[in-house]
Amino acid sequence: MRTILPKRKTWKGIRMNKDRFDPQFEKAKGLVDSHQRFLVIGHVDPDGDCIGSMLSLALFFRSRGKEVICFAPGDRSELFDRLPGAEMLGSWEDVAVFGHDLVITVDLATMERSDGLLTPDQKHPVINIDHHPSNERYGAIDIVDENAAATTILVLGFLLAIDRSGITPEIATCLYLGILMDTGGFRFHNTDAEAMHAAGTLIELGADSYGLTHDFIYTKKYSTLKLLAPVLETLEILDGGKIAVMKITNEMLEKTGATLKDSEGFIDYGATIDDVELIALLRETGPGRTRISLRSPGDHDVASLAKRYGGGGHSKAAGLTMDTDIFEAEKMIVKGLRSLL
């Protein structure tokens, strides 16, 4: 059993965050005021924090007379289509003909994670809003805080600096989603006072906290539950109970009729096992290609392991891709996890 100790962490708070970024917010506001057509970009295979950040910005600036389109490459859950402003989530084709004059990136640590959409020779100014420690600070303006639990907390600070009255319940709902998902429903280690304060502020502004929790945390698709059964059968506990490893193969997907999108949150089952310190979930994404998610409920820095193989993320939650089959990838990643113990 883990010993529960009080966290010794100072609360920066929304107001202190705002103070810290006042110069960046002022410069970003200047760019916003002097441009008209905004392309909001998120990372490949966007999650709730990415989508919530994109849509909240799009809704806010559309209400102020700007033309906005959002895009994040790869697959996304159909649940996101229920969110306010989802009609502004475009395609590659939409982006190609849009003709933007300002780029805002959210939750996007590196240009590579845009799947080629954002490049070093980008001719339009970029406002970069993110909370990943691996962020490359590629923007004309960088609003980056690795201590923020979610990118939407930084977006909230930006919008509050512009006009609090412009944050509608729909915008607040999108912002709340980012905090909800990146804290695992307020269960993860990053659930600090700032995250709770931001969530409370958003509820005051009209965020549908119950609806989001019901749809994104509590409710599960039938295909998700069908896939979960064989995945849990692969669960291995190693090194005296300190490491948990699970796998998702293409064969499992074919037998259950599920997709990789249905496996969202599966890695958290490993974290529920008492005394487990490190968790890895391996997913076949193609022939000889394996995507690996890493978690640490304790004090281990899984981002350092991910970086060894070209991945990245946060110290407690990171990911990487290996160009090898899932079983060879498992051997390599277990060796890496053991090096962290």
Side-chain angles (χ1 to χ4, degrees), residues 220-221 223-232 235 246-248 252-253 258-272 279-281 283 295:
K220 304 295 181 187
K221 292 170 57 180
S223 56
T224 296
L225 296 179
K226 285 185 69 177
L227 178 61
L228 178 61
V231 171
L232 288 179
L235 176 64
M246 295 180 287
K247 295 185 289 291
I248 302 174
M252 293 177 193
L253 298 177
T259 67
L260 285 177
K261 290 189 293 183
D262 294 317
S263 66
E264 183 72 27
F266 278 14
I267 194 169
D268 297 334
Y269 285 93
T272 64
I279 308 101
L281 174 66
R283 292 170 284 195
R295 295 289 186 274

Side-chain angles (χ1 to χ4, degrees), residues 208-229:
D208 182 11
S209 58
Y210 171 77
L212 291 174
T213 301
H214 180 273
D215 289 351
F216 287 88
I217 300 293
Y218 179 72
T219 303
K220 304 295 181 187
K221 292 170 57 180
Y222 178 56
S223 56
T224 296
L225 296 179
K226 285 185 69 177
L227 178 61
L228 178 61

Side-chain angles (χ1 to χ4, degrees), residues 121-142:
D121 58 354
Q122 173 74 33
K123 64 179 181 179
H124 303 296
V126 177
I127 300 172
N128 166 27
I129 309 175
D130 185 31
H131 72 138
H132 288 94
S134 55
N135 190 280
E136 295 177 341
R137 268 71 170 181
Y138 51 78
I141 299 170
D142 297 308

Side-chain angles (χ1 to χ4, degrees), residues 73-94:
D75 295 328
R76 70 171 187 261
S77 169
E78 59 271 18
L79 282 175
F80 296 136
D81 294 334
R82 303 180 186 181
L83 294 171
E87 69 277 2
M88 286 185 281
L89 293 170
S91 64
W92 280 106
E93 292 75 16
D94 296 326

Side-chain angles (χ1 to χ4, degrees), residues 132-134 278 293-296 299-320 337 340:
H132 288 94
S134 55
L278 293 162
S293 296
L294 303 172
R295 295 289 186 274
S296 171
D299 297 324
H300 302 291
D301 182 7
V302 292
S304 65
L305 175 57
K307 288 176 184 177
R308 297 181 202 173
Y309 299 98
H314 303 280
S315 62
K316 308 304 177 189
L320 62 136
L337 292 172
L340 297 179

Side-chain angles (χ1 to χ4, degrees), residues 17-32 127-129 137 140-145 158 161:
N17 236 348
K18 177 184 179 300
D19 292 343
R20 173 185 172 185
F21 288 110
D22 267 347
Q24 291 93 327
F25 288 161
E26 191 63 29
K27 291 178 183 177
K29 185 178 182 299
L31 282 180
V32 164
I127 300 172
N128 166 27
I129 309 175
R137 268 71 170 181
I141 299 170
D142 297 308
I143 302 168
V144 179
D145 182 1
F158 182 32

